[in-house]
Amino acid sequence: MNVEASRLVAPLGAPARALPRRHLALAMARRELRGGIGQLKLLFVCLFLGVLALAGVGSLAAAIQGGLAREGQSILGGDVEVRLTQRFPTEAERAAIAAEGEISDVVKMRAMLRGLSGQAEGKQLLGELKAVDRHWPFYGEARLRDGGGNAEVRDALSRGAVVGEAFADQLGVRPGDRIGLGEASFVVTGILAVEPDRASEGFALGPTILVPLDRLEDTRLVQPGSLFRSHTRIRLAEGQDPAAVVERLKTRFPDSGWRIADRRDGAPGVRRFVERMAQFLSLVSLTALAVAGIGVSDGVRTWLDRKSGTIASLKAMGASSRLILRTYLLVVAGVGLAAAALGAVAGALVPFLVVRLAGDAMPVAPALGLYPAPLFAAIGFGLLVAFAFAIPPLARAGALPAQRLFRGNAESWPWPSRGAALASGGIGLLVAGLAIWQSPEPLFAAAFLAGALILFGLLWALGWAVRRGAARLPRPARAVPRLALANLHRPGAMTGQLVVALGLGLSLFAALAMIETSFNAELKSTVPARAPGFFVLDIPKEEEARFRALLPEGSKVATVPSLRGPLTAINGIPVSAFRNTSEAAWVLRGDRGLTWASDLPQGNKLTEGKWWPADYRGEPLVSMDAEQAALLGLKVGDRLTVSVLGVDVTARIASLREIRWDSLGFNFALVFDPASLAAAPYSWMATVSPPAGAEAGFTRLIADEFPTASVIKVKDVVEQVEGIVGQVGIAVRAAASVAILAGLAVLVGAIAAQAQSRIHDGVIMKTLGATRRQLLAAAGIEYLAIGLSVAAVSLGLGAILSWLILTHVLQLGFRPDWGVAALTVLLGALVTLGLGLVGAHRALGVRVAPALREL
C-alpha cells in the first residue's frame, strides 16, 4: 500500500462511535495538512496576491471616503453651503439663508497676484483669490507657516492679505511685502500653511490668496460678467438636520440656480473621483484574481498529480469519489482561507503605506483604520474564485480509476463531470454578478468583465492553437528540434497555461506602454501645434479693442464673450427630475460655460440642424454639443432653460455640434445666438499666441494694463495635467502590476510543474545518450517558440485594449510608440526563455541513479 495512503486511511477503519462518518473527510484533510501544503504553494501565492489587490484598493477607498465623512464640515466650511455663480444672493434669499443659522460669506475667483516690493517685485503669478469674512473658518483649523491658528489667521487678515506657501516659494513673497490684486494693494501679513476647506475647491490653477471680504470691492475684480463664485455657509444649531435645511431652501427658491451642499458630502468632486478610480482599480484587481485562479487550478492539478497514487490507493480500499472530493476540497479551502486572510491583512495596511509614501498627494487625509467590509468582500471573492478554479481538477481526481495506481503517468486525467463544470461556471457567474451589482456603474463593470473574459478566451484559444499546430507540423530531421516540437503538444504539457499567464501579462504591459507613449506624444506634439500660448480671462466688456491694440505685433488672438450659468430645465421639466440618470449627471451638475456667436466656432462641426444667420433676430436659439445632447436624449427642436445671473433664459436647440475638446481653445457646450445674450453682463476671454520673443514679458504686460484680468500660461496647465495624470497612472500601474505579478507566479509555477514532471524523461534521455546541452537546447527552443508567438499576439491585443481606452474613454488620439511596445513584449518573451531554462536546468540536474530507482 502507498505509505501516504496508509497514513490517511487510518480514519477509514476507526469505530463509528469514535469518528462519525460525516467527520471522516475533515479528519483526513487535517491529517493531509500536517505534512505541509507542498505543491499548493502556488495556490497560496496567487490567491494572496489577488486578495491583496482587492483588499488594498477597497481599504484605501474606504479610508478616503471616511476622511471625507469625518472632515465633511471642515471641507465644506459649514454644515450647509449655498453656492452662486456670477451673482450674490438677493435680499430675500439671504434672509431665508440667515434664518437657518449663523452664516459666513466667502467669494472665490481667479486673480493675478503682482509683487510690488521685496524679492517678488515685478513678478506675477495666477492664484485662487478667496475673500473671507471674520467668521472664516467655521470649522477646522487654518494655520500659518509660523504655527498660528484660526485666531492668528483672522488677526493677519484684519491687517492685510495672507498668501499660500507656493507664493512664498515661487515668488519669494515674505510678510511685510506689498502685493497687488486688481486695482488694490495689500500688505502680506502671513503665509498660509493649512487651509481646511481646500479640498472642496476641486481643480485649482494656483495657490490661495486670502483677503478680507470688505476689501474685495477695492480690487474692482468683481464686475458685471466677471467669473466669481459666492459661497454662503451656514452653521446649524446642535441637532438640526442639514438635509431638511437643504430641502426647505430648494423648495422656497426652486428657480434660483444655486447649488446647495451639506456636510454629508462636502467634496462631491473628490468623492466621485475616488469612487470611479476605486471601481476601475477594483476591476483590474478582479482581473488579477482571475489570473490567480489559473494559478490555483495549476497548483491544485500539480498537487493532485503528486497525490495520484494516494488517491488510487484510497479508492482501491473503498473510499468513494465523494469522500475524496470532500477531503481535498477541505484541504484547498483551508489553504485558500489562510492565503485570503493573509492577503486581506496585507491589504488593510495599504492605506497606511500610501499615506506614508504619498500622503501629500492625497486629495484629503484618509481616516486610517480597519474597514472590515472591503476586507471580507476581498476574502469572499478570493475564496469563490479559488473554488471556481479548484473544482474541475478536484472533480477529475475524484473520477480517477483505481487502476491509475499501476499505470504511473501514462494515463491522462479524465475531464470533470457536467455537475462539476456547472458548479465551477455557476460560481464564476456569481463572482461576475456580485462585481457588477456592487459597482456604481454596472454597464461599465459588465463591459470591463466581458472584455477580460474575451481576452482570456483568446489567449486560451491561442494556447490550443499552438498545441494543435505543433502536433500537425512535420517532424524535423534533427533530434533537438524534434524533441522541442514534441514537448509543445505532448500529454501533460502546460502550453495552454503558459500562454494564458504570459499573454495576459504581456498584453497589460503592451497596453500600458502604448497608453503612456500615446499620451506623451499627444501632449508633446498635438497640443503645441494647436494650442495658444496664453489664456486671458475677465477682460472687461468695454475693453476688448484696447486689449487687442495692446498685444505685441504678430500675435494670434481670438476673443469670445463669456458667461456662466446652470441648466435649470429641459423641455420645461426641472433638472432635478433627471438626477437619477447617472451617465448624464455630470452634464446637469454645476454651472455651464455660456457664450454667443454669429458664426460657427472654429474647430466645431455641425452634425444636425442649421446655424443661424448673422443678422438673426428671433426666438432664442442655442447650439449644443452633440455628445452631451446624446447623454440627455435631446434632439434639434428641444428646449433648454439656463439661469443667467438669476434670470431664466429658455432657448430652442437649433443645431448639434461635434467639438474638438483637445484643441485647448475656448470650446463651449452651449452657444447662443447673439440677440439672446448680447445684452447680458459679460466679460471677454481670449486665447493669445504672441511671437516667440514676446512671451517672456506677456504676463506682466497684461497684468499692468488690465489688473482685473487673469493670465494663464498654457504650458503651466499642461504640466499640472501631466502631474495629475501621472499620479493616476501610478495607481493604475500599481493595480496592474498585481495582475502581472499573479501572471508571473502562474508562469513560474507552470514552468516548475512542467520541469518536475519531466525529470524522469530527462533521466531516460540522458541514459540513452542525450547530453544536458541538447536537452537545454530543446527546452530553449520550446520556450522561445511560446514566448515569441505569445509576444506577437499580445502586441496586437495590447494595441486593441489601448486603442479602446484612448479613443473611447479618454477621447485622445492613438499615437503609440510601437518600438517601445514591441521592446516590452520582446523582453517578456526573453524572460519566459530565461525562466524556462532555469526550470529545465534544475530538472536536468537530478542524478540518474536515484531517479531510476524511483521508476
Side-chain angles (χ1 to χ4, degrees), residues 37 39-52 288-289 292 295-296 335-336 339-340 343 738 741-742 744-746 748:
I37 62 175
Q39 298 297 322
L40 289 180
K41 291 176 182 177
L42 178 60
L43 177 153
F44 187 94
V45 171
C46 289
L47 203 56
F48 172 82
L49 289 173
V51 173
L52 165 63
L289 198 56
V296 169
V335 176
V738 178
L741 284 175
L744 185 60
V746 175
V748 172

Side-chain angles (χ1 to χ4, degrees), residues 8 11-12 19-34 322-334:
L8 290 177
L12 292 174
L19 188 63
R21 188 171 184 82
R22 63 178 178 273
H23 293 162
L24 185 57
L26 181 61
M28 294 176 63
R30 187 166 58 248
R31 286 172 176 264
E32 183 70 47
L33 286 172
R34 288 176 184 174
R322 179 174 296 182
L323 175 62
I324 291 173
L325 179 61
R326 288 178 178 175
T327 299
Y328 288 103
L329 187 60
L330 286 172
V331 174
V332 170

